[in-house]
Amino acid sequence: MTVRLHIRAVAASETLSRILGLLAQRALVPDMLAASRHDADLHIELDLAIDIDRALLIAAKLREQILVDSVIVAPARAVAAG
């Protein structure tokens, strides 16, 4: 199963590296990563090929980080080829 994490965080220089570092500690590489800045916020979307229980655990760990404001876990939408 592939899940998508929607993350809203502080737009600081270390935000992305801290989030990716948490994934690296768990030997996870995102299938998709997108980030965009909106004023003082950073909006990040990550697709991970993991089960929902593991995704919820990672979301909880992300929420513990001081720079992260919110994390939403949802099934990733498949993109049709063609």
Side-chain angles (χ1 to χ4, degrees):
M1 170 181 214
T2 300
V3 296
R4 178 163 291 173
L5 300 179
H6 300 273
I7 303 165
R8 188 172 49 96
V10 175
S13 59
E14 67 271 21
T15 301
L16 279 175
S17 62
R18 287 186 183 207
I19 290 170
L20 293 176
L22 188 136
L23 297 177
Q25 290 172 356
R26 289 156 178 77
L28 295 172
V29 177
D31 295 329
M32 188 279 300
L33 167 66
S36 59
R37 183 175 175 171
H38 300 272
D39 297 321
D41 290 336
L42 192 59
H43 295 204
I44 304 160
E45 291 188 354
L46 295 168
D47 283 359
L48 296 168
I50 57 175
D51 62 60
I52 192 70
D53 291 330
R54 194 165 182 202
L56 292 172
L57 177 65
I58 290 168
K61 291 291 185 186
L62 285 168
R63 288 184 193 104
E64 292 174 0
Q65 293 193 15
I66 191 76
L67 296 172
V68 174
D69 295 325
S70 67
V71 181
I72 299 170
V73 179
R77 287 186 252 171
V79 177

